[in-house]
Amino acid sequence: MNIIRRRGWEVAERGVTPEHLVLNRRSLVAGATAMTILPPLAARADVPVNPAFQPGRAVTEEKYATTYNNYYEFSESKNLWREAQALKQRPWSIRLDGMLKQPRTIDIDDLLKQVSLEERIYRHRCVEAWAMTVPWTGFPVSQLLKIAEPLGSAKYVVFETTQDKVMPGLSAPFYPWPYVEGVTIDEAANDLAFISTGLYGKPLPPQNGGPIRLTLPWKYGFKSAKAIVKISFTDKRPTTFWESIGPSEYGFWANVNPAVAHPRWSQASERLLGSDERVPTQIFNGYAEQVAGLYSDRKNEKLFM
Ligand code: MTE
């Protein structure tokens, strides 16, 4: 049973979901019934909204979340959404590898048949101090763990993302491609850790990491790897993409903390995409109640950069 408790900084639900989004979703459902054609399983309009995840902020308008992106395989600029349309979303398969019962390759649509999709509205905080609040469709990483069946000795889950010929940024020699991210098995099993396949009730756009990405709302956005093609299990902590480029600026843990400044800027506040309003940043991006316990035995590590 879900008990919804409103935290001090949360606002009422009517302030969270703009009317046009609700109406748009209703008309999508109505339209789908009339035409008896449903959008792909990745993000159907009839996927249930999980009411346990109240973001306490207005949802960012879709046009901002889908046109201001970080995706270095395409460009260092934020304006890459047109170029990203070239990334084919099907067929798409994911290699499950390393310390698990049976290494194998799984087709994304076969994977989607084995999980329960839901919609969650999460806050997303980039290390560059901009933020958005968006409705993701997807499933908890814990469901993926059940399907993958890692060995008891595995300690980390590593996500590797695609390298495709349509990505001009891959020819930049400076970057250590492929983009790799990782979390501990405990972090992956936390209920907040999510695999997204949809955004705003539609299939996840390529520029936001379609067809499948990680979404870790308590960590800086660079941990949320886009366009995943390989998920492996290991007992060794992986060196992640940004960590290998700038270990003093982008650490492995990367938990959001307003009190720990980036070496080149403050993390005390964030700019909301769309309104450009500046609001205070919350520890663990406001999700401390759900995740702080993951770190109680790791006080000596650099958890917040
Ligand atoms: N994943 C890949 N493969 N390549 C990237 O450059 N950028 C990261 C993350 N995932 C990135 C990535 C960063 S820095 C952020 S803030 C988020 O994606 C941005 O997600 P968004 O564009 O959907 O807002």
Side-chain angles (χ1 to χ4, degrees):
M1 195 180 69
N2 284 321
I3 300 169
I4 304 169
R5 272 183 294 146
R6 194 160 280 151
R7 293 168 194 86
W9 46 271
E10 288 181 354
V11 297
E13 193 170 3
R14 64 181 177 282
V16 169
T17 307
E19 195 177 12
H20 78 267
L21 198 64
V22 176
L23 293 177
N24 184 27
R25 219 176 276 161
R26 280 190 197 136
S27 63
L28 258 177
V29 176
T33 316
M35 295 182 294
T36 60
I37 296 171
L38 288 172
L41 189 59
R44 290 209 324 236
D46 56 354
V47 164
V49 179
N50 189 327
F53 301 97
Q54 298 293 326
R57 281 183 189 167
V59 169
T60 304
E61 268 187 70
E62 183 178 348
K63 65 178 178 195
Y64 298 112
T66 55
T67 59
Y68 185 91
N69 301 101
N70 271 337
Y71 207 159
Y72 281 67
E73 289 89 328
F74 281 100
S75 174
E76 290 179 347
S77 136
K78 300 279 187 274
N79 183 14
L80 52 86
W81 65 273
R82 277 191 200 85
E83 275 175 289
Q85 306 311 308
L87 184 64
K88 264 181 80 182
Q89 306 286 289
R90 293 292 190 281
W92 193 276
S93 56
I94 299 159
R95 179 76 192 157
L96 301 177
D97 219 341
M99 299 173 71
L100 75 171
K101 204 165 157 190
Q102 178 67 62
R104 60 198 189 275
T105 300
I106 185 165
D107 179 80
I108 188 171
D109 294 310
D110 291 339
L111 173 65
L112 290 178
K113 283 180 204 143
Q114 296 175 51
V115 297
S116 318
L117 290 179
E118 58 180 87
E119 186 180 272
R120 294 181 177 189
I121 304 179
Y122 276 164
R123 296 178 298 279
H124 167 100
R125 169 59 156 87
C126 178
V127 73
E128 297 162 340
W130 54 265
M132 62 181 187
T133 305
V134 294
W136 303 102
T137 309
F139 56 95
V141 182
S142 60
Q143 289 189 20
L144 174 84
L145 297 181
K146 285 205 186 88
I147 293 165
E149 298 183 282
L151 302 182
S153 44
K155 294 194 173 72
Y156 299 91
V157 194
V158 185
F159 297 86
E160 190 176 307
T161 84
T162 197
Q163 299 182 79
D164 193 289
K165 58 181 182 320
V166 302
M167 298 172 146
L170 293 180
S171 50
F174 173 70
Y175 293 107
W177 308 111
Y179 199 98
V180 169
E181 260 309 336
V183 290
T184 64
I185 294 267
D186 289 352
E187 291 179 315
N190 185 277
D191 187 39
L192 279 182
F194 204 62
I195 301 275
S196 299
T197 56
L199 191 63
Y200 295 93
K202 302 170 194 167
L204 187 60
Q207 64 271 31
N208 293 95
I212 185 161
R213 75 174 281 170
L214 191 59
T215 304
L216 303 167
W218 73 99
K219 291 180 178 283
Y220 291 117
F222 67 85
K223 296 292 293 182
S224 294
K226 296 178 169 182
I228 296 164
V229 288
K230 185 171 163 191
I231 301 172
S232 42
F233 297 88
T234 168
D235 56 1
K236 295 187 186 55
R237 193 167 113 178
T239 304
T240 50
F241 181 80
W242 284 108
E243 188 188 12
S244 65
I245 295 166
S248 61
E249 305 204 343
Y250 311 104
F252 173 78
W253 297 100
N255 294 310
V256 174
N257 188 336
V260 179
H262 183 277
R264 289 182 281 136
W265 59 84
S266 162
Q267 295 291 26
S269 67
E270 61 210 50
R271 175 178 64 88
L272 302 182
L273 289 193
S275 69
D276 280 347
E277 187 191 346
R278 272 212 102 81
V279 298
T281 289
Q282 313 279 329
I283 187 152
F284 294 110
N285 201 21
Y287 297 102
E289 202 176 306
Q290 292 96 323
V291 298
L294 289 169
Y295 307 102
S296 47
D297 295 337
R298 298 189 187 272
K299 296 264 185 312
N300 295 327
E301 300 201 41
K302 287 189 172 168
L303 295 170
F304 299 106
M305 54 154 276

